[in-house]
Structures are given as C-alpha cells and as structure tokens.
Amino acid sequence: MTDKFDVAIIGGGVVGCAIARALSRFQLDVVVLERDVDVARGTSGKNSGVAHTGINVPTGSLKAKLNVHGAAMFESLCRELDVPYKQVGKLIVALDESQVPDLESMQARGLANGVPVLDIIDADEIKRLEPNITGYAAVHAPTAAITCPYSLTIALAESAAENGVEVMLESPVTAISGEPGDFTLTTPKGAINAALIINSAGLASGEVARMAGVERWRIFPCRGEYVILDKSVGDMITRMVYPVPPKGGAGLGIHITPTVDGNILLGPSTDYIEDPEDVDTTVDVRKQLLKEASEFLPTINPRDVITAYSGVRPKLTSASEGGFGDFVIEEVPERPGIMHLVGIESPGLTAAPAIAEMVAGWVTDKLSPAVRPDFKEGAHTAKRFREQSREVQTSLVDNDPDYGRVICRCELVTRREILSAIENRLGARSINSIKYRSRSMMGRCQGGFCGPRIVDLLIEEGVPFDELNLKGDGSWMFFDTSKGLREGHDSRTGEAVIER
Amino acid sequence: MSETTTIVCVVCPVSCAVQVEFEGNGIIRTDHNQCKLALEYVNDELFDPRRTLTTSLAVDGGAKPLVSVKTDHGIPKHRVMEAMQSLSGLHVQAPVHIGDVIVPNLIGTGADLVATRNVAAA
Amino acid sequence: MIKMRSADVAVIGGGPAGMAAAAAAKEAGAGSVILIERDEELGGVLNQCIHDGFGTKVFKEALTGPEYAAIYADKVRDAEVETRLEATVLELTEDRVLTVLSEEGMETIEAGAVVLAMGCRERPRGAIGIPGSRPAGVYTAGAVQNYMNLRNLAVGRRVVILGSGDIGLIMARRLTLEGAEVACVAEILPYPSGLARNVVQCLEDFNIPLFLNTTVAEIHGAKRVEGVTLASVSGMDVIPGTERFVPCDTLMLSVGLIPENELSRQANVSIDRVTAGPVVDDAFQTSNPGVFACGNVLQVHDIVDYATMEAEIAGRSAAAYVADGTLPEAEIQIKVGDGLRYVLPSHVSGLDAVNFTMRVTKPDQNRAIVFSSGGKVLRRLKQQALSPASMARVRLGKARFSDTREILVEVGD
C-alpha cells in the first residue's frame, strides 16, 4: 500500500464512492477515507432510495442540472453494477382542489427542468393506477425510479476497489495541511499524502472544509425518521406516493415509497437536531408518520411495521431560514486543490453519477491521467438468489451447493450470498456490513433466526467471536463464552477475555 | 414461637398465594389455598425446597461446543449456585450420550449430573 | 435440473409438532411421509430449551427440551419417516406442490396431504417500536438462548429484560446461573405474561425484581447498550416523571411470539386474525382441504405437550385424507363469547370428542368456561383461576354435539 496518492476522497457515501469509481477508470492512485466501519453508513444508507425525476428543484439550479443528468445515467449504472433499479413511477397527490395549482406549477417546473414525461391525472385515474390511494388529482411521473441506496454505494466502492482504489475504513480525517500537489491528511491509521483532495464528507463537510482553512459553510443536520412495513402488505401500492410538498418545509413531505425488496417505507420526518450522529427514532414521529401516510393510504395498519430507522440530511439552510439551498460543488480560489461538496442532500443520490462525472472532470483536467486499460466494469458478488427465476436458481444450486443452503429465510438469502458478503473487497466484517450486503437480518424476524447462523459463518471465516461487532469497535456482539462468564476466560482457549 | 410467610403455589395455574403459619419443622395452619395439593408443595418449599439444576458443559472434540445436562433429582435450592460453581471449568470429552453420568453425586447432594443430549465426536 | 417426486404426506417443519405429526401419519398407515426441516437436526426450538418441564402431560415427568425432542426423533426414525434436513420449502401451492431447496438441488414434491408445522418467531424490537438509539446489545430472548445454550456465546454481563414471557423468565435464570447479572424484568401489563411456576423458580429464587406496569421508554448507548430508561405506564402510555435510568449492557426482549404463516398464505389457507394462525376444524384441517396445521404455527402454546397432542391428530387426519380423498364435513360452528380471545378449533364435525383450546382475555378467579347451544348449557367447567399466560383446554364428549349447529363458548359463572 502506498501512502502517497493522487487523490484523497474524504467520505464513503454515495457521492464519494461514485467519484472513486469514476476515477478508477484512469491510471490514478486514489484513496477513499471513511470514518465509519463501512461505506454508506451515513445519509447515503438511510434515505428513501429514490431516483428522482427533477420535479422538485428550482429551474436553473445546480441541483436541477445534476438531478436530471444523474437520473438519465442512473439505470445503466445500476445495470452495470447489478444493483436493483425499478422504474415504478411516482404520484404527487393533491388531497383536494385547493392543491391543484401546486400540481400545475410542479408539472411546469419539471418539464422546464427537462423531465421527459409528466401528466396531471384525476381521481379516477389515481384509483385505476393505485386502487388503495385516495386523492383528488395527481402529478404522474412515470420515469421516477427506486433503487437500493446502500447497495449502490457499496457496489460503487467495491467496483472502485476492484479497479485499484484504496478504501480505508475507520479512518476519520482529523487534520489537513500542505498545498496542492502535497497535502497531508491526518488519520488514526497514519498520515496520507495526496495531490488533490475531494471533500465529500456529507454531514461533516463543513467541518472538513474548516480543517482545510475554509470557514464558509455551516451544516444544519435535519433528521428524517422512517418506518418500514412488512412485505406481506407490500402490494398496497406499486408506485411512489408523495403529498404536495409543505410550503417552506425542509423536505418533500411524508411519502409512501415501495422498496426494491417489496417493503413499503413511510417517511421521512423533518426535525432539525444538534448532533449529526443522533439517529434515534421516537414514539411521536412514528405515530405522526403512520397518521400522515394514512391520509393517502387508509389501509395502513400499525401492526405491519417491522422496524424504524433515521437518516440525517446535511442541510445548508437552518430551520428558521427554511426554503431551498443549492448544492455547493466548488474549489475555493484562495485554497486551491480541494474540491468541496457541501449540502449534498436530496436529490444527492440521483445526482451522484452526474456529480461524479463533474468532479472526475476537475481531477482529469488537473492531472491529465491515462485511461486504465484493464478497467473491470461489472459486479463480482454472488447473485441475489431471491430475485432469480426458478430455472436460474436451479442452475445456480446445481453448480454451487452453497446456493442450496438458506441462511435467512425471511429474505431468502443463501449461504453463498453470506459468504460473498463476508469476503467483500473492502474488508468490512461487521454484522451490519453483512446485513447491508446480503439483506439477511432485514426481514420479519430481524435476525432472530439467521443471526446465530451468520455468526457461525463469520467465526468459520476466521473472525474471533470476541471481535464480532454490530457496527465497529465497541459495538461488541458477545462479551464472553457462556461458560466463560463465570470463569472469566474463554473456555475454548483458556485465554483471558477482554475486559468490557 | 410461630412464624408466618407467604408462598405462591405453582402446582397449577391458579397460583394461590398461600399464607403459612409454622413453627420448627411443622405447619400449624395455611390460608388462601384453594385446594389440598398446595399443602405438600408448601411443606416442601418451606422445609426442604429442591430444584432440578439444568445447565450445559463445554465439550472437547465434539460436533457441538456444548452438551446440556441436568441433575437426576432435585438438589437443595440453596446449593444451586454452589453446584454451578463446582462445574466451572469442567470440560467433557466427546462423544457424549444422552443419560451418561457426567458428575456422580454432585457436591454430595446424592444427585447425579447426567447428559440430556447426544454430542458426537467431531 | 428440478427433480420431481411425490409423497403421501409432506410435513413442513421438524420441531415437536412436525415430528409428532410425521410419526403419527406413518403409524396411521400413510405409505410415504416426508419431514422437511431447515436445521441440521430435528427438534426445533426444543434443542435450545435445556431447562426441564417438558412432557408433564404426555409422559408424566419433567423432561428437558433435548430429551423430549430425542424421544420424538426416535419415533420418526422408527416409523421410517423420510427426513430431509437442511432443506427449505420455498413455495407451497394451493394444490399441495412443494418446492424444496437443499444442497442437493431444487426439488418439487407433489403431496397427497400437507401438514404445516413451521412454528413461530419472536417479536423483534422494531415491531414494538422501542425508541432511542440502535446500539449492539439488544437481543430477543430466543436468540440469547440459542447463543448461550447451543453456541457457547454470552451476549452480556448485566441484562435488563423487557417482557415477562416464559422464554424471558427461563433465560433470566439461565443467565444468572452462568454468572451474568439480571438487573430486572419489566412487564408493561399489570400481570406477568409467563407461567407462575417460572416467575417463582426463575425470578424469585434468584431475587430478580419483576416490575409490572413498566416498560422501556428509551435505549441508551451509541455502540453498545449502556442502559435503559424504565418508566411506569398507565395502559400503554408512559406516566411522565416515573422515568428512571438502569445501567446495563444488554436489553433482552421477551415480548411475544408470532406464528410463521408465510407458506400457509401461499397455499391460500385462511388465517385467523386473533391467533395469527390457520383456521382449522377438529381434524386440524385448514380452509384448504388436504392441508393441516398444528403446533405453534396454529396457536402459540404454553406447554409443548399440547402441541404434540394436536400434531398427532393432524398427522392421523392427513393419513386419513390421503386414504379416503376427503374428511367428514365439520359443520358445527364454534362461536367465541365473552372473556375469551379465541377458541380452537373453530368448527367441528361432531363425530368425535374434541379437546378445545382457548385463551382468556384477562386474569380472573372463580369463573367457569361455559359451552352452550341455543341457550342450553352443554358443559360448564369451573375454573378457580384463569390466566392469559396459560392455554385453557376443555374436552367436550361426542354426545354433546348431537342436534347442534352452533356452540357458544364463553367465560361465565
């Protein structure tokens, strides 16, 4: 491993990983510095998973340009990386006549932004498309799509790693010094030298800019809570269903989103918070989400909630300012050599491929690298067994018995897929890393049954039981062996167990 | 000098909270029990409470890391933790068969500790 | 290549119910019986239930879970049931075709009759919506039991238990025996969810406090659980000002079990809203003829013996269905009256005596379970105590069903 790189990317979110993969097409030494135990652990992993068309962003903004361009690139990127992508379409539903002008202005803005198709439909047509949805009229955006945001981020990072990018996990940057061509980034894993820096640190992007001497941006963390409904009711809707966005609000309103795996998401709420890492879920918001979503979808039953989660938006506008803040993607003239990406919130996921293309262009302009001749485009992970036809499943197991052993039955995940997740290119070994790569432990039982089997496989693959963790150092799964609790040492090896 | 205490009878789901007045080794009277079955239970709980101890032991060279075990009779309730302590660090060599006596006369209680499952050699 | 074959009776799930059903079907004359289990050994959850108390009704002695399982695994072997381990049923069609996946490949089985015995799963944290952070150290009781009793792994050293279900109580004792500290058990209801025997022998024996009308209002800790906020409740709502912090490294949940009926739904079997299990008659036949259900997939049992007993009837019924092509109509409707959550079966043939099982809505004393038809009392069984934690079981003789179309069951005086 070299500690001298052409480009250091700070932040392993979808944008940082998309940039890393875009740069891996060139003969460059690139490092991604991620502070968490895996990529996609921040905002990129916890959102609605929507490839937006570009209806909701002001015409002429950077957001509009990158959203529409990113949306056009999205499907082929997902296909390349074998990431789920479904063009299910979206309805923005007016509950009564008073909201119809809002629909009309959204339609006009969307068309001006370059969205290919947008229709306004009446109540009958809503019922025809979505029999369970109640509404007066709606904007219908047939090209809106859903993806799996953490799968995409992970696939981008693993493809980049496959093509030579160094992805350093648990490596927060604590200081930046030097100048273009010779920056030094301080991390707990040692100093990193890089010619150029890309600050795609999301919630921490303002802080990273300050480390580099740019006192310009303040990030206002804005939490969004979601609840997830069970697959058994996943057929209540086939399209995304959004309300007319609240005036001056911080988000798009509580929406109902089908996931690529057949669940339904309700959310997100919008709560400005102090601590960007505060991803608590709350009783009040859970009730609010169920109540607001029920206005459009009266058949929602609280009993069908399988779990809840929160993500945090890195907003550039405070609660009191409200309104719109455009993406900031700029190199500050008095502190050159660092590209800052700040305030990349919704539609950041959709825009990520376009942002990556733009930022990669900035790098190639500066460094004029040669193209990597042996760039490997596709994915190299196990097939998602549950998504295959019976014929394909049969041939998979005929050729590889590990596809014949179901480990997670709620989500139908086989031993081969778990092993593939454990052996990932990034070296991520936390339980959550296996979960987000394989979908195991995400179903009805939330890991009650498959958890112990996955623990077995991790131990078989060489992870000591007392190093097994949920999401990095400190989040230990086990404190001891059962028999060792009383004895104070590991009953298998006789060695003293770590004090916790 | 008699004493009074309350013991919840667990013989049936009624779960009577039986009030017992006793002196030395004899019950003087009981109250709040709905049937006679409570009497024997209360007497045992008062003067000689016993429990079957079930636990597991580490297995060396086995297809499973642990073998489950039980005492073949109840042992005095107040000696349960002492029995657990005596098993600390004990390893059993595979194979183990259901019913195998692992520890005869566990801490002198007269009860044997026996295996409750099979563990084949690895 | 997808292999194809057939069997007279296919039993899905090799836990206590599946083992008893498969052996009973074979003993009742079914030609070929196949028992499909996803784990590497038969026994299901019994293998991790190393405590005793199993078999008090069937064998009149208190066996441990593994011992009880071994008896039925032997019966399955002796009856020459074909057992398929490490095999998962991916699909069950309405006309009883199973798609089974194992390391040997994909296989379809056309079954003359199917017995559903998939058991249940634990209600996880997400489903009950405990607010707060999402650290490591939140486990369901059954998962802790699996790690501790089968895998020699201890999840923590100081544990708070939410919910007083039987598995939680059993694990309170188990953790204490092994040297962990159980700080307390919090139960949101005004009474324990588990059996009195377990409250006494698992909590009181070890001086573990049980707080009723109490819940976990918040989980604390970024990486690993560092403590929980307990709070008193009125109904289901937290009473402000009653919150108190309890330090712990583990929160263990014992907050209910949910029957696993995903395959049942595929087979177009009607599911009861209250039990969350299939609607069945006294032959344990579901709404889809030729498909039977027993054990915890049908209703969550308090003791395994009753699951075994109903599974044996289900297995024999499946054999009879294969032999005769049909079973007697069950046209006598059973109505659920005051004081009961449900009564099983929901309709009966009247050709045999029936053991009805039911659960009451709330604890009560000195009442009766009353069976009546058209205002005429068929049977009144006095109950000194009724508890939602225990399943009530009442036998109604064959003679009581004559000239009856509908029977009301209720808690009365």
Side-chain angles (χ1 to χ4, degrees):
Chain A
M1 180 187 131
T2 170
D3 59 356
K4 186 160 173 54
F5 294 91
D6 297 313
V7 184
I9 300 168
I10 305 173
V14 67
V15 172
C17 295
I19 295 168
R21 183 173 188 262
L23 292 176
S24 73
R25 293 177 184 273
F26 299 95
Q27 294 187 25
L28 289 168
D29 289 324
V30 178
V31 63
V32 176
L33 299 166
E34 168 54 47
R35 67 175 172 180
D36 214 321
V37 69
D38 202 348
V39 298
R41 301 303 300 128
T43 314
S44 300
K46 294 160 184 157
N47 54 68
S48 307
V50 176
H52 290 284
T53 52
I55 312 173
N56 297 101
V57 280
T59 307
S61 64
L62 189 56
K63 270 189 181 174
K65 180 183 146 201
L66 292 169
N67 181 345
V68 174
H69 186 38
M73 300 167 75
F74 218 86
E75 181 170 7
S76 65
L77 180 66
C78 289
R79 297 273 174 269
E80 260 174 44
L81 295 170
D82 191 25
V83 169
Y85 174 91
K86 290 182 186 166
Q87 209 174 79
V88 295
K90 179 203 279 192
L91 297 181
I92 303 172
V93 179
L95 284 171
D96 56 49
E97 194 176 354
S98 73
Q99 293 180 316
V100 172
D102 296 321
L103 297 185
E104 286 164 350
S105 62
M106 270 188 284
Q107 182 192 35
R109 184 173 59 202
L111 293 173
N113 288 350
V115 179
V117 198
L118 285 176
D119 301 316
I120 291 187
I121 61 173
D122 63 13
D124 289 345
E125 184 66 4
I126 294 176
K127 272 279 170 262
R128 195 184 69 77
L129 293 176
E130 294 292 342
N132 293 316
I133 294 293
T134 306
Y136 179 83
V139 171
H140 180 211
T143 58
I146 52 174
T147 184
C148 175
Y150 48 82
S151 296
L152 176 62
T153 307
I154 290 166
L156 286 164
E158 292 185 358
S159 171
E162 187 75 19
N163 288 295
V165 170
E166 187 82 37
V167 180
M168 290 176 60
L169 302 174
E170 297 178 274
S171 302
V173 173
T174 53
I176 297 171
S177 60
E179 54 197 59
D182 187 23
F183 287 111
T184 299
L185 300 93
T186 308
T187 80
K189 293 192 175 170
I192 302 293
N193 192 273
L196 298 174
I197 295 176
I198 294 161
N199 168 14
S200 57
L203 287 160
S205 56
E207 195 185 321
V208 168
R210 275 191 290 284
M211 284 178 205
V214 180
E215 298 270 352
R216 185 171 297 193
W217 302 289
R218 178 169 172 206
I219 299 291
F220 299 92
C222 181
R223 186 170 69 198
E225 292 183 41
Y226 292 85
V227 298
I228 307 180
L229 303 186
D230 189 63
K231 285 181 172 182
S232 62
V233 295
D235 56 3
M236 286 194 296
I237 53 165
T238 55
R239 287 165 186 76
M240 294 171 253
V241 177
Y242 280 58
V244 171
K247 295 273 185 317
L252 300 176
I254 307 301
H255 42 266
I256 309 168
T257 313
T259 73
V260 288
D261 300 295
N263 301 83
I264 290 178
L265 299 178
L266 308 181
S269 53
T270 46
D271 293 300
Y272 283 88
I273 53 173
E274 287 299 313
D275 175 5
E277 305 199 19
D278 178 3
V279 287
D280 283 9
T281 51
T282 62
V283 174
D284 290 347
V285 170
R286 184 187 179 99
K287 286 182 184 160
Q288 178 208 348
L289 295 179
L290 286 162
K291 181 172 161 287
E292 291 194 23
S294 298
E295 288 179 25
F296 298 94
L297 188 54
T299 51
I300 289 174
N301 185 335
R303 287 208 306 193
D304 296 321
V305 173
I306 58 168
T307 190
Y309 67 94
S310 283
V312 183
R313 308 169 182 86
K315 295 191 88 69
L316 276 170
T317 51
S318 68
S320 55
E321 290 162 328
F324 174 80
D326 206 353
F327 290 159
V328 169
I329 301 179
E330 52 182 79
E331 181 184 20
V332 178
E334 59 272 25
R335 198 80 171 88
I338 308 176
M339 179 60 90
H340 297 281
L341 294 90
V342 191
I344 314 292
E345 48 151 336
S346 180
L349 172 66
T350 320
I355 295 174
E357 193 178 84
M358 174 178 165
V359 175
W362 172 77
V363 172
T364 52
D365 282 353
K366 298 224 179 215
L367 302 178
S368 307
V371 168
R372 182 184 295 276
D374 56 348
F375 178 77
K376 293 182 279 296
E377 194 164 74
H380 55 280
T381 46
K383 290 283 175 208
R384 286 187 298 278
F385 192 79
R386 66 187 168 278
E387 291 177 10
Q388 312 302 319
S389 68
R390 202 60 94 210
E391 288 65 34
V392 173
Q393 288 177 340
T394 304
S395 84
L396 283 173
V397 62
D398 284 347
N399 291 309
D400 180 353
D402 280 333
Y403 278 111
R405 187 79 175 95
V406 174
I407 301 292
C408 164
R409 62 178 166 164
C410 299
E411 295 297 313
L412 187 52
V413 183
T414 64
R415 183 181 152 94
R416 167 54 59 216
E417 294 160 270
I418 304 286
L419 291 174
S420 171
I422 293 174
E423 291 156 2
N424 69 76
R425 283 289 318 216
L426 308 186
R429 296 285 182 275
S430 73
I431 295 285
N432 275 349
S433 298
I434 310 308
K435 169 173 155 176
Y436 288 114
R437 280 170 179 76
S438 65
R439 254 203 93 67
S440 59
M441 303 174 273
M442 285 194 181
R444 281 178 285 273
C445 85
Q446 295 282 300
F449 284 115
C450 59
R453 295 146 188 264
I454 289 165
V455 163
D456 285 347
L457 291 175
L458 279 159
I459 292 173
E460 277 172 33
E461 293 291 301
V463 183
F465 83 90
D466 53 5
E467 287 176 21
L468 282 172
N469 60 77
L470 183 68
K471 48 182 182 178
D473 277 0
S475 64
W476 309 117
M477 292 290 289
F478 304 107
F479 278 32
D480 214 322
T481 59
S482 329
K483 304 315 294 181
L485 270 182
R486 181 173 292 281
E487 297 160 30
H489 61 75
D490 177 356
S491 64
R492 296 173 208 188
T493 63
E495 287 166 16
V497 170
I498 309 164
E499 198 56 47
R500 284 179 183 147
Chain B
M1 187 61 191
S2 72
E3 293 176 74
T4 312
T5 188
T6 304
I7 293 174
V8 175
C9 173
V10 301
V11 173
C12 83
V14 177
S15 324
C16 298
V18 184
Q19 259 184 25
V20 200
E21 191 186 342
F22 64 100
E23 189 168 358
N25 276 344
I27 291 178
I28 297 168
R29 53 173 297 212
T30 63
D31 206 355
H32 298 293
N33 53 307
Q34 298 191 358
C35 77
K36 290 203 171 93
L37 288 176
L39 297 179
E40 189 186 340
Y41 176 80
V42 165
N43 191 69
D44 288 349
E45 278 298 280
L46 205 51
F47 302 117
D48 186 22
R50 287 179 176 262
R51 298 289 184 263
T52 299
L53 172 64
T54 58
T55 182
S56 64
L57 296 172
V59 177
D60 288 338
K64 307 267 175 196
L66 295 171
V67 60
S68 52
V69 293
K70 70 172 184 183
T71 54
D72 62 353
H73 300 100
I75 64 171
K77 185 174 108 173
H78 69 274
R79 298 195 70 188
V80 163
M81 290 311 258
E82 181 190 346
M84 282 302 295
Q85 195 60 49
S86 79
L87 300 174
S88 184
L90 189 66
H91 286 229
V92 185
Q93 187 64 44
V96 190
H97 300 286
I98 195 164
D100 283 358
V101 175
I102 309 291
V103 183
N105 190 16
L106 182 66
I107 57 167
T109 57
D112 293 343
L113 191 74
V114 299
T116 58
R117 69 161 295 152
N118 299 322
V119 177
Chain C
M1 205 182 70
I2 302 182
K3 289 169 281 230
M4 286 180 353
R5 55 167 293 178
S6 62
D8 287 335
V9 178
V11 181
I12 307 175
M19 292 191 295
K26 197 78 205 296
E27 284 159 9
S32 58
V33 177
I34 184 163
L35 174 60
I36 303 157
E37 164 58 37
R38 67 193 164 90
D39 215 333
E40 60 192 29
E41 61 183 343
L42 292 177
V45 79
L46 288 172
N47 292 319
Q48 66 188 57
C49 294
I50 67 171
H51 56 282
D52 70 335
F54 301 89
T56 52
K57 305 284 175 190
V58 175
F59 300 113
K60 310 291 176 214
E61 64 172 315
L63 301 168
T64 65
E67 290 171 313
Y68 191 93
I71 290 171
Y72 284 90
D74 287 349
K75 275 183 193 274
V76 164
R77 194 194 52 221
D78 295 346
E80 297 185 343
V81 169
E82 180 185 347
T83 300
R84 296 283 305 276
L85 298 174
E86 300 187 309
T88 303
V89 178
L90 298 185
E91 190 182 348
L92 172 64
T93 67
E94 196 171 351
D95 49 359
R96 302 186 302 280
V97 179
L98 295 80
T99 304
V100 181
L101 176 68
S102 71
E103 289 182 10
E104 280 82 58
M106 196 77 78
E107 188 173 35
T108 59
I109 301 172
E110 287 183 18
V114 171
V115 181
L116 306 169
M118 293 87 75
C120 59
R121 65 173 179 268
E122 296 182 278
R123 195 184 297 276
R125 171 188 176 179
I128 53 169
I130 307 169
S133 58
R134 311 183 64 74
V138 182
Y139 293 92
T140 55
V144 175
Q145 187 178 47
N146 184 305
Y147 285 126
M148 178 154 247
N149 293 347
L150 297 180
R151 288 174 161 79
N152 196 13
L153 293 169
V155 298
R157 295 210 178 98
R158 186 178 154 89
V159 183
V160 168
I161 301 177
L162 175 62
S164 56
D166 286 310
I167 314 171
L169 301 179
I170 293 288
M171 285 313 295
R173 173 174 62 189
R174 185 80 194 103
L175 286 158
T176 308
L177 286 175
E178 289 292 9
E181 180 191 356
V182 177
C184 63
V185 177
E187 168 59 58
I188 197 165
L189 295 173
Y191 50 85
S193 305
L195 300 171
R197 173 193 165 88
N198 288 333
V199 173
V200 170
Q201 298 195 349
C202 299
L203 301 186
E204 291 174 10
D205 273 9
F206 301 96
N207 299 314
I208 298 168
L210 168 63
F211 301 126
L212 299 173
N213 295 306
T214 302
T215 193
V216 171
E218 192 172 352
I219 298 172
H220 303 276
K223 300 205 157 191
R224 175 81 195 194
V225 173
E226 289 166 9
V228 296
T229 298
L230 292 186
S232 304
V233 296
S234 166
M236 292 284 151
D237 296 321
V238 166
I239 301 171
T242 62
E243 295 91 348
R244 63 260 193 207
F245 180 78
V246 179
C248 60
D249 54 48
T250 303
L251 174 64
M252 191 176 89
L253 307 177
S254 181
V255 291
L257 301 169
I258 306 168
E260 284 261 277
N261 276 293
E262 287 64 38
L263 289 173
S264 319
R265 287 193 185 86
Q266 284 183 17
N268 202 20
V269 161
S270 298
I271 303 293
D272 183 86
R273 276 182 53 86
V274 178
T275 59
V279 175
V280 292
D281 64 16
D282 54 330
F284 292 91
Q285 184 168 235
T286 67
S287 62
N288 181 355
V291 179
F292 300 80
C294 56
N296 277 355
V297 81
L298 182 60
Q299 59 177 335
V300 175
H301 291 70
D302 51 352
I303 61 172
V304 72
D305 302 60
Y306 294 142
T308 299
M309 291 175 189
E310 71 189 29
E312 286 174 344
I313 299 173
R316 285 197 292 272
S317 304
Y321 179 88
V322 172
D324 304 339
T326 183
L327 288 179
E329 290 288 313
E331 291 179 327
I332 303 169
Q333 300 298 315
I334 309 300
K335 297 292 167 197
V336 180
D338 287 350
L340 294 174
R341 286 185 56 229
Y342 70 86
V343 179
L344 256 167
S346 66
H347 48 302
V348 303
S349 66
L351 300 175
D352 279 308
V354 176
N355 284 298
F356 290 93
T357 50
M358 62 204 78
R359 285 200 190 241
V360 297
T361 52
K362 61 178 200 311
D364 212 338
Q365 293 217 328
N366 296 317
R367 304 294 302 273
I369 292 173
V370 183
F371 287 71
S372 62
S373 177
K376 184 180 140 214
V377 173
L378 301 177
R379 182 157 193 210
R380 170 180 281 120
L381 192 71
K382 288 191 73 176
Q383 302 280 309
Q384 288 183 317
L386 291 166
S387 161
S390 334
M391 222 168 74
R393 195 162 184 273
V394 182
R395 183 183 167 88
L396 216 55
K398 180 181 164 182
R400 319 260 183 182
F401 296 115
S402 58
D403 301 329
T404 302
R405 308 257 36 101
E406 187 173 299
I407 293 174
L408 176 71
V409 191
E410 61 192 328
V411 175
D413 293 313

